[in-house]
Amino acid sequence: MENKKQCRSSAVRQQRWNRPGVCGLDNSGNSCYLNAVLQCLCSTVPFVEHLLNQDTRKELVRSKCRVAEVFVRLLEEMWMGRSSSCAPVEARSVLCSILPQFDNDSQQDAQELLLFLLNALHDDLIRVAKRQKCSSMRQQRRAQNRNCATAAVESTIVTHMFEGQLSYMTLCMHCDHQAHSTQTFTVLSLPIPTDIIKCSIQDCLSLFFEQTTLSGGEQMLCSVCGLRRETAVLTCMDKPPEILMLHLKRFGCKGKNQVKLRTNVFFSATLDLTPFLSSSIENTSYSSYCLYAVVNHIGNLNMGHYTALCQNTLTQTWHCFDDSAVREVEDSLVQSPNAYMLLYSREPFQKPKIHGL
Ligand SMILES: [Zn+2]
């Protein structure tokens, strides 16, 4: 009788909840950094859609992709909206098994974890893509009766959505010789201007993209001079990512001491990247981004707590995820001096097409 009553009341509670994509995550011992990151990825709608696609899921099982499989099951639970919170126990244990550095109860860096997690998911999805390509090559080979090289696959939904590219122009200060190079990025780690109490995210971006001069031990080898020379470096973005992830370098050094910079970095719901884009990008639709998630860090270097603020694409409302506690917040409360990571999307998210939603 008692059990039945409990079941009924829990069913009532679950019925009442019914908020797809809004699900708190229980803390399993200092795991707030993991929870905050998982919430941000759960709000990245096109990424979730791709992973929850039935074909992708079947392939993940066939290719024995443990990290992605567990992550996808968790996303499904969070998007079905049946309960106000769930326990990411399996996700944590599978992550700890491949990333032993996270297998303890100490506070970790959310940004580092996000990069590790995306890498692990990318590796799993590469396995799926290779398996698919191999099987289609085998079919072709049979048809054409010849041998094929090993399948080479480099891109996945992870690189497609989160990867951008920076371009560097270096200028020898002695002979004016110019050289160009590029580098892909997933997160832009932005410096915060020092000795001020407030600035804007544009100030941080300007500082990141500011022209620098490499001198002394940092001088670069000039191919024309054949010597190490003082070199000017100009950085710009020549491939803006679909999802722009900005990380504020709040943890710095002051003399010998590690300090947390508490500068209030102002950001708005939209971000214009035009000033930082390479002149070769003509399409202006590339420059405007909408904010959809924020990771906050409160406290200091050793004793801190992470929370996430994410916009739900179905209701267009913001929620604060503090481990298992979830509350709706006014748009005006998204801005805070605790912002540590900002996630922007180039396209506003549509209502998610998820099986069973
Ligand atoms: Zn030179």
Side-chain angles (χ1 to χ4, degrees), residues 172-177 222-227 229:
C172 171
M173 302 292 269
H174 187 78
C175 73
D176 284 349
H177 173 67
C222 169
S223 60
V224 173
C225 297
L227 288 170
R229 295 289 194 193

Side-chain angles (χ1 to χ4, degrees), residues 54-65:
Q54 293 305 302
D55 294 337
T56 313
R57 298 191 66 172
K58 275 184 209 142
E59 283 301 330
L60 289 176
V61 176
R62 274 193 211 122
S63 308
K64 299 190 174 63
C65 298

Side-chain angles (χ1 to χ4, degrees), residues 9-266:
S9 71
S10 112
V12 168
R13 200 168 55 234
Q14 286 175 1
Q15 257 175 20
R16 266 193 210 138
W17 187 252
N18 192 24
R19 286 194 224 169
V22 181
C23 179
L25 294 167
D26 299 345
N27 191 318
S28 54
N30 252 338
S31 62
C32 56
Y33 67 97
L34 170 65
N35 291 347
V37 163
L38 291 172
Q39 291 295 355
C40 291
L41 293 179
C42 178
S43 303
T44 311
V45 172
F47 185 58
V48 174
E49 265 179 353
H50 177 90
L51 292 173
L52 291 189
N53 176 288
Q54 293 305 302
D55 294 337
T56 313
R57 298 191 66 172
K58 275 184 209 142
E59 283 301 330
L60 289 176
V61 176
R62 274 193 211 122
S63 308
K64 299 190 174 63
C65 298
R66 193 111 163 82
V67 181
E69 247 193 278
V70 165
F71 179 67
V72 166
R73 270 206 295 278
L74 178 67
L75 285 181
E76 184 181 39
E77 199 174 345
M78 293 168 84
W79 269 99
M80 285 304 114
R82 294 189 196 106
S83 59
S84 61
S85 72
C86 65
V89 181
E90 218 187 351
R92 188 173 191 188
S93 94
V94 75
L95 267 179
C96 291
S97 70
I98 55 155
L99 304 167
Q101 64 269 45
F102 293 104
D103 191 10
N104 55 56
D105 281 345
S106 59
Q107 178 73 229
Q108 304 276 353
D109 187 279
Q111 188 250 157
E112 272 174 35
L113 174 85
L114 178 60
L115 286 175
F116 279 121
L117 176 57
L118 285 176
N119 260 332
L121 291 170
H122 172 72
D123 289 346
D124 268 2
L125 294 165
I126 281 282
R127 283 231 296 281
V128 169
K130 275 188 177 160
R131 198 179 169 279
Q132 282 174 324
K133 198 167 177 183
C134 276
S135 92
S136 89
M137 281 167 94
R138 263 197 301 276
Q139 282 169 7
Q140 273 179 19
R141 202 161 52 197
R142 259 184 242 123
Q144 297 170 353
N145 194 23
R146 62 182 176 87
N147 289 329
C148 292
T150 330
V153 188
E154 276 164 12
S155 73
T156 63
I157 183 81
V158 176
T159 48
H160 171 70
M161 296 225 67
F162 298 97
E163 212 172 81
Q165 186 172 283
L166 295 173
S167 104
Y168 301 97
M169 199 272 280
T170 54
L171 177 75
C172 171
M173 302 292 269
H174 187 78
C175 73
D176 284 349
H177 173 67
Q178 287 183 12
H180 296 267
S181 61
T182 57
Q183 189 181 32
T184 57
F185 69 91
T186 310
V187 172
L188 284 187
S189 282
L190 305 180
I192 300 175
T194 44
D195 302 324
I196 50 172
I197 52 166
K198 61 181 181 183
C199 69
S200 70
I201 192 72
Q202 282 82 0
D203 294 333
C204 300
L205 280 160
S206 297
L207 201 54
F208 179 90
F209 285 100
E210 193 177 59
Q211 179 178 334
T212 52
T213 304
L214 303 176
S215 53
E218 290 183 320
Q219 286 187 351
M220 283 175 76
L221 182 69
C222 169
S223 60
V224 173
C225 297
L227 288 170
R228 290 192 169 275
R229 295 289 194 193
E230 203 163 85
T231 313
V233 182
L234 275 154
T235 310
C236 63
M237 198 184 285
D238 66 352
K239 182 187 168 281
E242 287 297 315
I243 302 294
L244 176 70
M245 301 198 285
L246 303 178
H247 158 236
L248 296 170
K249 286 158 96 173
R250 290 201 179 275
F251 303 122
C253 288
K254 211 168 197 175
K256 282 181 184 169
N257 298 325
Q258 284 227 303
V259 288
K260 181 179 172 187
L261 296 172
R262 296 179 192 278
T263 316
N264 197 352
V265 179
F266 285 87

Side-chain angles (χ1 to χ4, degrees), residues 57 333 342:
R57 298 191 66 172
L333 295 175
L342 304 172

